[in-house]
Amino acid sequence: MRRIVFGATALAAALLASTAFAADPIKIGRVVHMTGPAAGGDAASHSPNVELWVSQVNGRGGLMVGGERRPVELVEYDDKSNPAEMIKAVQRLATQDEVDFMLTPWGTGFNAAAAPIFAKYGYPQISVTNITDEIEELSERFPNMFFTLGNTTGFVEGLRDTLNKLRDNGAIGNKVAMVNVADAFGIELAAVAREVLPAAGYEIVFDKSYPLGTADLSPVVKGAKATEPDAFIAFSYPPDTFALTEQAIIENLDVGAFYTAVATAFPAYAGKFGSKIEGNLGAGGVNLDLEPMTEYRTAFNALHGNQPEYWAAATYYASLQVLEQAIEGADSTDREAVTEYIKANSFDTALGTISFDKHNESKHYWTVGQWHDGQFNAVAGVGVPVAVEPVAKEGWN
């Protein structure tokens, strides 16, 4: 493990260098997937938003606690996308570095693995990139754990509703090829889909799971193509989202609906495939017309010189806003007090005003987005306005 201590990001470091902070810093720990198969997801959805948030907080002089502003100091470790290394790093942050708060890791499985340590030491765990139908059970077991990106059934139902619209318009038939990464995320989504899709009249003609980190996914795409599906669905993580799309182009997989999950919303996805992904569906999406979203994306672009990804990035940034407002609202770095404040209050964020009902912010999230004219807009969601209606995929250009 490599320990990296930041007073802030490169931008905020300059601010710190020119500003004399008399108050003790608030130490915030974070385990980062800097390398390994989860690095792409972390780099797109988490890290740039941490940099944005820290630069904003320290640019204001820090968090207001006890009548004084206290700067944020980050302590980070690279876990190499290894769950065992992640657990050791979280434990070290809590016991050796004694950080005041911790940010949650990227990924459903990583959040589940970290939860016992967060709970043991009383850290509020505002998880974002963590989709599960076990929210109620996990909340009872870990009363400091919060969920912000929705549940598994909601995402599958959003996908079903999107397919229904395409089917009603005559764009697709009932035959679905489905694949999933053999991780907690993909396994749970596929299990729900096996119930939800047939109940809606779809026939799953191909159903294949593949290990996390699989390098060659051409057999998967070839197998799916052989079944002549109307729709292709992949509950995938970033490396396989890219690999599956590349193989679909090579094989000229002719479907009216092509869906991949995590990383479909990444600008890098459009950067690699260009116009070939016109009409591609994927997990997430955002409504670019909402004012808080516009403000967030403008600030992100001002710092990084590019746009954030179109799904979990805004929600992760919103989770940092929740932590900030809870610390200042509780006027304390006492973790129990901050946790109770999160449970009892609402927060103004990039997603609008959000609050937690039994630890779950399940009232506002987008489930499916679609690439059109260089943007990934939401076409389905729960309790949020969508930007556009879905259209059929028409070839790979």
Side-chain angles (χ1 to χ4, degrees):
M1 290 185 294
R2 183 163 61 101
R3 184 176 187 268
I4 309 158
V5 181
F6 294 99
T9 62
L11 174 62
L15 294 169
L16 283 169
S18 62
T19 306
F21 286 113
D24 291 335
I26 295 175
K27 293 172 64 177
I28 296 184
R30 175 173 173 247
V31 180
V32 192
H33 312 318
M34 294 182 185
T35 54
D42 204 318
S45 300
H46 283 204
S47 293
N49 288 291
V50 173
E51 293 174 14
L52 173 61
W53 179 69
V54 172
S55 70
Q56 291 174 328
V57 168
N58 285 348
R60 293 191 291 269
L63 297 172
M64 180 63 75
V65 180
E68 62 179 354
R69 291 204 173 271
R70 297 176 57 184
V72 166
E73 177 186 291
L74 282 179
V75 181
E76 299 185 337
Y77 291 101
D78 177 16
D79 68 357
K80 304 179 179 63
S81 301
N82 184 308
E85 291 295 314
M86 185 274 299
I87 291 171
K88 288 193 294 184
V90 173
Q91 181 78 24
R92 183 171 181 175
L93 285 167
T95 60
Q96 295 186 35
D97 297 305
E98 297 183 337
V99 296
D100 297 296
F101 298 96
M102 279 195 279
L103 305 182
T104 54
W106 183 93
T108 299
F110 286 98
N111 271 279
I117 305 173
F118 272 76
K120 179 178 180 179
Y121 296 101
Y123 289 95
Q125 184 178 357
I126 312 172
S127 63
V128 178
T129 44
N130 179 19
I131 300 171
T132 177
D133 272 348
E134 298 181 357
I135 291 176
E136 184 174 348
E137 294 87 342
L138 289 169
S139 297
E140 291 179 0
R141 184 178 177 187
F142 307 115
N144 60 322
M145 193 174 190
F146 301 90
F147 300 83
T148 59
L149 205 60
N151 59 36
T152 306
T153 297
F155 268 85
V156 175
E157 289 177 343
L159 177 56
R160 174 205 61 195
D161 294 345
T162 301
L163 295 178
N164 285 347
K165 290 181 179 180
L166 294 174
R167 185 174 61 182
D168 292 344
N169 292 334
I172 65 171
N174 294 322
K175 296 170 63 178
V176 174
M178 183 177 74
V179 304
N180 70 276
V181 61
D183 175 85
F185 169 83
I187 292 170
E188 190 169 335
L189 281 164
V192 174
R194 292 184 189 105
E195 296 181 3
V196 170
L197 295 182
Y202 294 99
E203 179 188 3
I204 301 177
V205 295
F206 183 81
D207 189 348
K208 178 71 173 178
S209 178
Y210 56 87
L212 179 67
T214 299
D216 182 10
L217 289 168
S218 57
V220 173
V221 176
K222 289 178 180 178
K225 182 180 179 180
T227 64
E228 299 181 350
D230 300 300
F232 176 86
I233 296 170
F235 298 117
S236 52
Y237 266 163
D240 22 312
T241 291
F242 279 82
L244 289 166
T245 302
E246 185 171 15
Q247 287 301 319
I249 294 170
I250 292 172
E251 294 294 328
N252 192 27
L253 180 62
D254 184 17
V255 289
F258 183 88
Y259 171 99
T260 46
V262 185
T264 312
F266 293 0
Y269 185 74
K272 178 174 179 62
F273 298 112
S275 62
K276 290 181 173 62
I277 62 168
E278 182 75 6
N280 281 28
L281 298 164
V286 295
N287 188 330
L288 298 172
D289 296 332
L290 299 181
E291 184 176 351
M293 183 67 65
T294 300
E295 292 175 356
Y296 155 67
R297 295 181 71 86
T298 298
F300 187 101
N301 185 54
L303 177 63
H304 295 293
N306 52 50
Q307 290 295 327
E309 54 103 336
Y310 293 87
W311 180 26
T315 306
Y316 189 74
Y317 177 76
S319 76
L320 301 175
Q321 292 177 301
V322 169
L323 180 61
E324 173 186 351
Q325 293 170 37
I327 293 171
E328 293 190 335
D331 195 27
S332 174
T333 56
D334 179 80
R335 293 191 284 272
E336 182 178 355
V338 171
T339 299
E340 292 305 313
Y341 192 94
I342 294 172
K343 293 178 182 179
N345 291 274
S346 59
F347 305 88
D348 294 325
T349 75
L351 306 181
T353 302
I354 66 175
S355 60
F356 295 89
D357 178 15
K358 296 181 180 179
H359 302 253
N360 184 21
E361 212 309 301
S362 61
K363 301 178 290 296
H364 307 91
Y365 63 98
W366 292 282
T367 54
V368 182
Q370 185 169 45
W371 281 102
H372 182 65
D373 291 337
Q375 293 185 326
F376 190 71
N377 275 304
V379 296
V382 175
V384 288
V386 299
V388 294
E389 291 297 309
V391 298
K393 171 77 176 172
E394 297 183 357
W396 293 98
N397 299 325

